[in-house]
Amino acid sequence: MIRGRLAVGTGIVAAGAVALAVGFWPDGSGGSRGGSGDGGRTPGTATASEPAPRSPAPAKSYALSEAPATVPAVREHTPARGPGWRPGDGGRVVVGDRALADEARLIAGELRLRYAGEAKPRAGDVRLDLSEDQGRGGGGAESYTLTVKDRTVRIAAPAAAGVFYGTRTLKQEVAGGRTAPEGVVRDRPAKPRRGFMVDIARKHFSAEWIEDRIRELGDLKYNELGLHFSDDQAFRIASDSHPEVVSADHLSKAQVRRIVDLAAERHITVVPEIDSPGHLGAVIAAHPDLQLRDSRGVATRGAVDIAKPKAAEIVDDLLREYDELFPGARWHLGADEYQALTRSDPEASYPRLAAAARDRLGPDARVQDLATAWLNDRAKAVGPGRAVRAWNDGFFRGGVTKADDRVEVAYWTGKEIGAREPVEYLREGRDVLNYNDEYLYYVLGEPNDFQYPTGQRIYEQWTPLVVRGTRPVPASYDRQILGGTFAVWCDLAGAQTQEQVARGVRMPLRATAQKLWDERGPTRPWAAFVRLAGDVEKPARPAGAAKPAR
């Protein structure tokens, strides 16, 4: 099918299209009528004593609109004929509910429009509404409908998050002076968790750098930012309960509050991680008596002795202290790479841990059971009102105890000895988050055979079903895979500056956003997607625009 376009105002019609502009006379006829009337005057003509009527301007005709080009792509667009919408000097943003004031002020500042509060929309305006009807097609709170009609835009959603995502679509539609196409967008995410994680423990990132990433993530419709802020190398957030563990370069609590608040404005949940009982070198540096030692007295790097109550007390102190600082509904508890469990015979290598396991959990308990009990205790410390997750190598086969059912599996690797297949967790009924290190791990310095991931490989090969390696799990488990997270790890912290990291993750983040928002295969070739990613980041209006609102 050939679809032509009319160049409005030029009189040029593309081949394959027919567009008619018919001028009607005042009496509604499409031309002159035969016969004579009063004074012998033909209807539709003028006598010498009266001026000839002015012919009305031809009505404009518009080609059927095309779907907007955005990152991630919208899932559904119903085309229509009309001029579309562009931000103009007289345009306003109005709301149907004052609860949407933050979303309205943000998009108004970005498009250089005036925020007018609760008001009736007029031509040139954008209206934001809360409407339960918009959620009935699926997608829940994050779904939205964006309608362009009669030179106005209406964005409606069942919750503020959906309205916000609609404003992100609109912002991209008009980027670089483009026009938001006439018609209706109905959009929703494929996955409820869409995350980006940064290892700020091994490498200090400035608060400003993190805030810039939040703005970037919001425009790409991510809804999680993970902060891995405690590890062997450093502890990066100020603490009142244990200031002795905090590293020299760290974020103040005031900086963290600004980060959390900015994220909340973009409907992003900050997911903190204090990894334990391994990766606690910064805590051990201040409390060397807590370091795990084997049967020969040799210290085990990064691992605390989980048979010592003081180790649990310090970690729980920190978890409870940060409860107020991170009010979001999710916590990451770590639990990976506890070095006692990498030995061929943990009970022989760590007889103290083996004895503690039997004393607490029964005569058949092993060291892995004690580690599982540690995980469950930390989940209790976080509290029942939050979703908690742990790395997949913190879950074990068999044993006399198991991880609490509410602990989600953050699946990152199958490369470690004895690593369980993702399907094992799925069969148990557990929810899984995809951190596949084959595609989604950006490891500074590329140690241990890691290579910097490319956006093209993610875009063309990865889906949320590809949890381990390159093979997908059966589609029947799709609902249990809650989403995915692209992660930056700073194993060789000096390998890149934070500016280089931002450039390096730019296209991988966009490719991951596309695959988490829409489960269908990409319709654009990679080169076109790269061009589009640049286009949608251009300012919506010419130079001299006001600085976007925070």
Side-chain angles (χ1 to χ4, degrees):
M1 173 181 178
I2 300 176
R3 190 183 333 186
R5 297 181 183 176
L6 172 67
V8 178
T10 66
I12 299 173
V13 179
V18 177
L20 300 178
V22 180
F24 286 91
W25 294 90
D27 66 357
S29 67
S32 62
R33 291 184 298 199
S36 62
D38 292 347
R41 178 165 56 89
T42 301
T45 64
T47 65
S49 61
E50 58 186 353
R54 178 180 296 177
S55 298
K60 293 180 180 179
S61 178
Y62 299 93
L64 201 63
S65 64
E66 296 182 356
T70 60
V71 177
V74 302
R75 296 169 62 88
E76 180 184 342
H77 176 254
T78 302
R81 298 183 188 278
W85 182 89
R86 295 174 68 178
D89 290 339
R92 308 175 303 165
V93 179
V94 301
V95 297
D97 190 313
R98 66 185 61 185
L100 299 174
D102 288 344
E103 287 74 21
R105 289 191 176 97
L106 177 61
I107 190 65
E110 291 168 329
L111 301 186
R112 293 176 59 216
L113 303 175
R114 182 169 66 87
Y115 171 58
E118 294 179 272
K120 184 178 180 180
R122 62 195 186 197
D125 285 356
V126 177
R127 179 182 171 93
L128 309 184
D129 280 318
L130 292 176
S131 173
E132 293 183 3
D133 292 342
Q134 305 305 316
R136 292 177 182 171
E142 294 188 313
S143 64
Y144 69 91
T145 299
L146 187 157
T147 304
V148 178
K149 184 179 180 181
D150 298 331
R151 291 184 169 83
T152 64
V153 177
R154 179 177 184 253
I155 299 171
V163 171
F164 173 73
Y165 296 136
T167 66
R168 300 306 88 194
T169 295
L170 179 64
K171 179 184 177 183
Q172 291 193 16
E173 285 181 328
V174 299
R178 299 187 301 166
T179 298
E182 201 85 3
V184 181
V185 168
R186 293 179 180 85
D187 205 10
R188 65 190 185 281
K191 291 297 178 184
R193 309 277 186 86
R194 305 176 301 281
F196 176 53
M197 193 225 78
V198 188
D199 170 13
I200 65 171
R202 294 179 178 89
K203 182 179 181 67
H204 177 63
F205 288 85
S206 69
E208 292 75 18
W209 187 92
I210 296 171
E211 290 170 358
D212 285 344
R213 301 290 74 70
I214 289 170
R215 297 183 182 94
E216 181 180 11
L217 295 174
D219 283 355
L220 295 170
K221 302 184 175 77
Y222 281 89
N223 62 6
E224 281 192 1
L225 170 64
L227 294 180
H228 176 95
F229 64 88
S230 170
D231 214 301
D232 294 340
Q233 292 78 4
F235 192 102
R236 298 289 189 185
I237 294 179
S239 170
D240 298 318
S241 64
H242 289 283
E244 74 279 3
V245 307
V246 179
S247 303
D249 290 329
H250 66 271
L251 299 173
S252 70
K253 286 191 173 182
Q255 288 174 317
V256 173
R257 288 190 180 96
R258 287 196 296 271
I259 287 167
V260 170
D261 288 346
L262 180 62
E265 290 174 7
R266 266 68 176 177
H267 298 274
I268 295 169
T269 298
V270 179
V271 182
E273 180 189 358
I274 298 178
D275 199 348
S276 75
H279 295 281
L280 282 175
V283 171
I284 292 169
H287 298 275
D289 57 308
L290 298 182
Q291 186 155 36
L292 178 65
R293 294 181 180 275
D294 66 15
S295 59
R296 298 174 298 161
V298 177
T300 305
R301 183 175 183 270
V304 295
D305 187 338
I306 57 178
K308 292 184 175 181
K310 184 180 176 183
E313 289 171 6
I314 290 177
V315 173
D316 286 352
D317 286 345
L318 294 166
L319 291 173
R320 294 187 180 108
E321 177 184 356
Y322 295 128
D323 179 79
E324 170 271 332
L325 194 60
F326 295 102
R330 299 161 205 158
W331 259 92
H332 200 317
L333 298 173
D336 64 314
E337 298 182 319
Y338 188 52
Q339 294 301 308
L341 293 168
T342 63
R343 302 290 181 91
S344 59
D345 188 346
E347 284 68 34
S349 297
Y350 298 94
R352 176 180 166 81
L353 295 183
R358 291 191 298 271
D359 288 344
R360 177 177 177 182
L361 302 167
D364 296 326
R366 296 177 291 169
V367 174
Q368 71 172 47
D369 294 302
L370 194 64
T372 300
W374 171 282
L375 172 61
N376 290 340
D377 288 344
R378 305 297 76 75
K380 290 176 184 175
V382 168
R386 298 180 193 260
V388 291
R389 68 189 68 164
W391 299 111
N392 62 284
D393 49 334
F395 297 78
F396 308 101
R397 292 188 184 94
V400 300
T401 188
K402 67 172 186 174
D404 189 287
D405 289 340
R406 75 185 248 254
V407 183
E408 301 163 349
V409 179
Y411 201 101
W412 70 282
T413 190
K415 297 173 183 176
E416 297 196 343
I417 296 173
R420 301 166 66 189
E421 291 283 349
V423 170
E424 287 194 40
Y425 305 97
L426 295 166
R427 284 174 183 159
E428 293 173 359
R430 290 195 183 275
D431 290 332
V432 171
L433 290 154
N434 190 330
Y435 289 75
N436 188 337
D437 65 347
E438 186 75 24
Y439 292 93
L440 306 180
Y441 262 33
Y442 190 95
V443 185
L444 267 59
E446 300 181 307
N448 302 321
D449 296 326
F450 279 108
Q451 294 183 349
Y452 292 127
T454 68
Q456 182 172 3
R457 189 162 179 257
I458 296 168
Y459 186 76
E460 295 176 347
Q461 299 179 21
W462 180 80
T463 76
L465 290 173
V466 182
V467 180
R468 170 176 172 164
T470 60
R471 292 179 300 156
V473 300
S476 58
Y477 292 115
D478 182 65
R479 291 179 65 86
Q480 288 174 244
I481 300 173
L482 301 179
T485 296
F486 186 89
V488 173
W489 292 101
C490 303
D491 291 41
L492 300 177
Q496 290 190 343
T497 65
Q498 59 181 18
E499 290 76 19
Q500 288 173 318
V501 173
R503 291 194 297 270
V505 303
R506 179 179 173 274
M507 286 312 300
L509 275 177
R510 282 145 183 78
T512 305
Q514 174 62 43
K515 304 304 281 290
L516 290 170
W517 189 266
D518 189 348
E519 73 276 10
R520 298 169 298 182
T523 58
R524 299 174 186 274
W526 173 247
F529 184 79
V530 173
R531 290 194 297 272
L532 175 61
D535 290 342
V536 300
E537 293 169 9
K538 296 175 181 176
R541 302 181 68 182
K547 185 178 180 180
R550 182 176 182 273

